[in-house]
Amino acid sequence: MKQALQGTGVRDLAMARPAVARDRSASRRANLSLVLRLLRDEGPRSRARIAEDTGLPKATVSHLIAELLDGGLVREGAAERDRGSVGRPGQAVEVDGRRVHGLGAEVNVDYVGVLALDLRGEVAFERSVPLDVRAVGPAAALDAVARLTEEASDAVRADGGHVVGLTLATPGAVDMAAGVVKYASNIGWRDVRALAELRRRLGPGTPELHLENDAKLGALAEYVLTSADNVRDLVFVSGQTGVGVGIIAGGQLVRGTGGYAGEVGHLRLVPSDEPCACGRRGCWETMVGRDALLRYAADPGDPVADPMIDLDTRLAELRDRARAGDPRTLAALDRIADHLAPGLALLADILNPRLLVLGGHFAYFGEYLIDAVTRQVHELVMAPEAGGGEIVLSRLGLTGTARGAALLALDAVYQDPTGVMGAAA
Ligand SMILES: [Zn+2]
C-alpha cells in the first residue's frame, strides 16, 4: 500500500499519524482513509480506477465506498468513462462536503477571525474582526474567538452540517499537546492556556480543539493548494507584523523539538539595531515585517502610518501610491526586497525547497518585490538556479492561515473517517 500511496501522490498532512494495520478494524480504517484522501487529492473517479490507484481489490473498494456513502462522506458524481474510453463508463465517486466541516480560528496582532471549510475544502463561513490583541490581552481575544466560533457553528448547522473540530492559530511557539501558547512576542502572550480557556467559553458540545502556529498552518494551506504539482518540499514565509516560516520537508510539517522551528523572524540576518517585540534588537522581522514597510514608506503624520486608520485602507493606499509610481513607496518596497532576499537565500540553502511561498504583505505587494527578490536570491544561494526552487506569491491572501487551521481540523476525518461515520463505525 505504501507504494500505491507514493504513486498516487496522496498526501499525509501535518497531523499525519499513518494508521498501522494491526488488526482488521485498523486495516479497514486505514483503507477508508486511503480512499477518502485519494478522492480529496486526486479528484472524483470510478471504483475501478480507485482500485487501480490504491492497489486494493475491486470488491474491497466497493465495500469501502458503500461505507463512505453510508457515512455521508462521499457521494455519487458524474459518469466517468475510464481511461482508454473503451467499455462501459463507470460512476465516479466524489467527496461530499455537505455534512462535515472544520473550523480555523486565527488570533493575530490586529484581528481575530474564524473560517469554516467543508470536507472538500470549500469555504462555508468566513469572518474576522479588528482587535488590538496585545492591548486587550488573552482573555478578551479568546472571548472574541469564542463568539466568532459560535457564529460559524450556527451557520454550519443552519446548512445541515456539523463541526468536527477547530484549530486555533496563533503566532509564536505553541505546545500543541498541552494547548498552550508558550511565547508569542508580537501579541504579548506567554504561557497562555488557550485551548482550555476556549473550551471553557464554548461549553458543552465543544468540537475537538487543536492549537498550532500560524506560519506552519499557512504552509499547510499552501501545500494543499499546490498538491497537484507533486510538491513535497515547501517553505511558506508569512508577512505580518511578525515574519514566521512554515516548513514542509519531504511532505511533512517540521515543528522541531519545542515547536520553535521556523522562528526565522527573530534571527539577525541584516545589520540593524531596530528594537523587536521579543526584547532584542535587529531581528529580521523588524526589517521586513509590516511595521518596517510602513516605517520606510511613510513619516509620522502620513495617513499610511496612522494606527487609528484601518490597516486594509492603509495598505490599499500604499499600493495605489506604488502603482502611481511614487518614489518614496517604491524605494520602501525595494528596501523590503533587499532585506528579504538574504533570509530567503538562507532558507533556500538550508532546505532546498521546491517552492518558497511569500504570504501576507509580501504577496500583497508581490508585483514590486518578486523580480528583485528572485534575482538577489539567485545571486546569494550556493546551488545553481536556486537548486531548482522557485519563489512564488501566495494566492490565499490573509485567510491562508485560517484555511490551514481548518484543514488541520478536517485532517482528523481523513486520517480516521470512522470517527464521524456514526453507527457505521
Ligand atoms: Zn525579535
Side-chain angles (χ1 to χ4, degrees):
M1 193 190 298
K2 193 141 196 219
Q3 270 180 341
L5 257 172
Q6 285 165 352
T8 56
V10 172
R11 290 154 303 115
D12 281 321
L13 295 188
M15 297 299 280
R17 291 156 304 219
V20 180
R22 278 189 213 88
D23 52 42
R24 271 190 63 171
S25 72
S27 105
R28 168 176 156 265
R29 274 201 302 276
N31 288 338
L32 286 167
S33 164
L34 176 61
V35 170
L36 198 59
R37 283 183 290 138
L38 176 73
L39 294 173
R40 173 191 67 185
D41 298 339
E42 305 284 301
R45 59 204 50 223
S46 67
R47 289 164 176 79
R49 201 160 149 208
I50 293 169
E52 198 180 305
D53 290 343
T54 57
L56 294 168
K58 280 184 186 173
T60 306
V61 168
S62 291
H63 231 86
L64 294 167
I65 293 298
E67 279 196 70
L68 291 169
L69 280 166
D70 264 2
L73 298 180
V74 303
R75 62 182 174 189
E76 305 281 1
E80 180 205 61
R81 188 168 282 281
D82 280 330
R83 282 170 299 181
S85 68
V86 180
R88 279 192 310 131
Q91 181 86 17
V93 180
E94 62 187 23
V95 172
D96 186 350
R98 290 167 299 184
R99 215 184 120 223
V100 171
H101 292 72
L103 301 186
E106 185 184 6
V107 172
N108 214 305
V109 175
D110 36 34
Y111 63 90
V112 297
V114 171
L115 179 144
L117 288 186
D118 71 20
L119 197 58
R120 293 169 308 175
E122 302 284 329
V123 176
F125 175 92
E126 186 183 343
R127 196 159 127 70
S128 67
V129 292
L131 190 70
D132 186 341
V133 168
R134 181 187 265 277
V136 300
L142 291 167
D143 283 347
V145 169
R147 277 196 297 275
L148 289 177
T149 299
E150 271 156 10
E151 220 178 292
S153 302
D154 287 348
V156 165
R157 266 195 299 272
D159 255 1
H162 80 282
V163 172
V164 293
L166 175 146
T167 306
L168 177 65
T170 72
V174 305
D175 182 337
M176 297 178 72
V180 172
V181 178
K182 291 192 290 191
Y183 181 43
S185 57
N186 284 312
I187 54 172
W189 287 17
R190 198 184 275 278
D191 295 323
V192 173
R193 297 172 64 243
L195 292 194
E197 287 297 315
L198 194 55
R199 191 172 287 114
R200 193 166 62 73
R201 284 164 174 76
L202 293 172
T206 301
E208 198 183 328
L209 299 181
H210 316 272
L211 175 69
E212 181 54 291
N213 161 273
D214 55 3
K216 293 183 177 67
L217 292 166
L220 201 63
E222 298 294 340
Y223 182 56
V224 168
L225 191 75
T226 57
S227 65
D229 306 321
N230 207 16
V231 171
R232 305 286 293 166
D233 299 276
L234 176 152
V235 172
F236 171 73
V237 184
S238 81
Q240 306 275 348
T241 304
V243 175
V245 165
I247 300 159
I248 309 267
Q252 291 289 321
L253 186 68
V254 175
R255 293 203 169 81
T257 302
Y260 285 90
E263 287 293 324
V264 181
H266 298 282
L267 290 177
R268 253 186 110 139
L269 296 176
V270 285
S272 157
D273 208 27
E274 196 65 36
C276 181
C278 74
R280 300 178 303 169
R281 287 180 172 272
C283 295
W284 190 40
E285 67 184 40
T286 68
M287 300 305 284
V288 299
R290 208 175 50 213
D291 291 349
L293 172 62
L294 298 174
R295 197 171 69 236
Y296 303 156
D299 293 319
D302 186 319
V304 163
D306 184 351
M308 299 306 285
I309 298 174
D310 169 47
L311 181 70
D312 290 348
T313 309
R314 290 150 68 197
L315 292 179
E317 164 65 21
L318 209 51
R319 190 157 66 176
D320 287 346
R321 290 183 191 176
R323 285 182 176 159
D326 173 53
R328 168 85 184 255
T329 307
L330 295 176
L333 290 165
D334 282 348
R335 198 166 164 198
I336 292 287
D338 291 348
H339 294 327
L340 191 53
L344 301 185
L346 177 91
L347 291 164
D349 266 340
I350 292 175
L351 297 160
N352 188 206
R354 169 72 185 79
L355 291 181
L356 252 165
V357 186
L358 304 183
H361 61 270
F362 302 135
Y364 189 83
F365 293 99
E367 59 191 296
Y368 303 99
L369 301 174
I370 189 83
D371 290 345
V373 162
T374 302
R375 180 174 37 79
Q376 292 186 53
V377 168
H378 280 233
E379 284 166 14
L380 288 166
V381 299
M382 188 274 294
E385 295 300 306
E390 195 184 344
I391 301 170
V392 298
L393 304 175
S394 168
R395 286 172 286 159
L396 292 174
L398 287 177
T399 62
T401 293
R403 184 184 286 264
L407 286 169
L408 196 55
L410 286 171
D411 194 46
V413 178
Y414 281 104
Q415 292 299 327
D416 181 6
T418 61
V420 294
M421 284 165 60

